[in-house]
Amino acid sequence: MTATETAILDIALAGIGKIARDQHIPAIAADPGLGLAATVSRSGGIEGVENHATMEALLAARPDIAAVSLCMPPQVRFEAAAAALRAGRHVMLEKPPGATVTEVLRLRDLAASQGVTLFATWHSRQAAGVATAKSFLAGKAIRRVRIDWKEDVRHWHPGQDWIWEPGGLGVFDPGINALSILTEILPAPVHVTAAELTFPENRAQPIAADLRFAGADGLVVEAEFDWRQTGPQTWDILAETDVGSLRLSDGGARLAIDGTAQEVAGSGEYPGLYRRFAGLIAAGQSDVDVAPLLHVADAFLTGRRNLTEPFHD
Ligand code: NAP
C-alpha cells in the first residue's frame, strides 16, 4: 500500500431484504473506504457477491472480514451479532437494535470485553434537519412537543410477517424512528406516562399507538403512531419553545423554524451511518444508545390495550 492509499474496510452484510437492497448496498458501494466482501443470506444474497447461508459459516470461512452489518429482523439478530462479536468482528445493527433491551446491553458488554466496536444505528438521527433542530432546542425552555408518525403499512411493509410477530414491534418499527429523533434533539430526558396501543384482533403487535411523556418544567410530549394512513404520509415533529417553534417534517429531512424553512444539508442517512461505523472502528469505540427502545418497552409496560378489526396484507 502506498502512502496515499488507505485500507478498505471489508464488510459482510447479513439479511438481504428491503433495507439491505434499498440503502445498505448503495451506501457501501458509494463509499471508497468500504467494500462489500460477502453476504449472509438464506435466500441467496446478491448476484456476484460471495454468500454464506449462516453467520457461523461466514465467520469460519472469512476470518479476514473485520466487520459485519446486520439487516435481518430484530427477533433473529442477537445470535448472529453475538457470534460475530465472539469471533472478534465489529458489528453494526439496524434499528431497532434488538427484540429486548437486555439483549442489546448484553451485546454492548460483549463488544467491550472483546475489544471490538458495536454500533446500534438510528438512521433517522442522520436525517438532514436533526442536527440543526438539536442546536436550536439547546438551552431553550420547551413547552410542548407533538409527534405525528402516520404511514401506510401496506405500502412500506408488504408481506413482512415478522413485523407483526412478538418482538417485531408493529407500528413502533417506524415509531421508534421518531423516538430516536426525539431522544437526540431534546436537551433533557422525558419518560412515558401513558400509552394506548391498538392491536388488530388477528395480530400480536399494535397497528397504532398514542403515547404521552413528561419532562422537566412541565414539558408534555404527545405522540401518535398509526399504520392505517393512506394518501399523504406524515412523519412530523413539532416543538414549541419560549422563543419560537420548530417543525421537523419528512422524517427529519426538512426543518422549519417559526414557519420559515431552514437550509439543511445532508449527505444521506445511510452514508452517514457507515461513515460513523468506520470512524468508531478507527477510534476503538462503540455507540449503543438504547433510549428509543426503552421508551417502546415502557409503552408496552404501561399501555392500555385496545382491539380493532383484523389486518390482512
Ligand atoms: P425484510 O425486507 O423482511 O428483510 C429482512 C431479511 O432478513 C430477509 O429478507 C431475510 O434475508 C433475513 N432474515 C433472516 N431471518 C429472517 C426471518 N426469520 N424472517 C424474515 N427475514 C429473515 O425487512 P427489512 O424491511 O429489510 O427490515 C429489516 C430491518 O431493517 C428491520 O429491523 C427494520 O426495522 C429495519 N429497517 C427497515 C426499513 C424499511 O424501509 N424497510 C427502513 C429502516 C430500517 P435473507 O433471505 O437474505 O436471509
Side-chain angles (χ1 to χ4, degrees), residues 16-19 41-43 71 77 95 160 162 173 270:
I16 309 303
K18 182 170 182 352
I19 199 61
S41 171
R42 310 163 311 166
S43 58
C71 303
R77 218 179 283 141
K95 51 64 51 171
Q160 288 186 348
W162 62 264
D173 177 85
Y270 281 80

Side-chain angles (χ1 to χ4, degrees), residues 13 16 37-46 48-54 57-58:
L13 197 58
I16 309 303
T39 56
V40 177
S41 171
R42 310 163 311 166
S43 58
I46 308 155
V49 179
E50 173 186 325
N51 183 54
H52 298 269
T54 65
L58 168 88

Side-chain angles (χ1 to χ4, degrees), residues 43 98 157 179 201 210 238 261 287 298 312:
S43 58
H157 301 283
L179 300 178
E201 60 188 35
D210 292 351
L238 172 72
D287 178 352
D298 286 350
H312 300 287

Side-chain angles (χ1 to χ4, degrees), residues 56-81:
E56 287 67 25
L58 168 88
L59 296 171
R62 296 295 305 269
D64 58 306
I65 296 178
V68 300
S69 178
L70 304 187
C71 303
M72 63 276 268
Q75 297 102 319
V76 295
R77 218 179 283 141
F78 175 77
E79 292 302 338

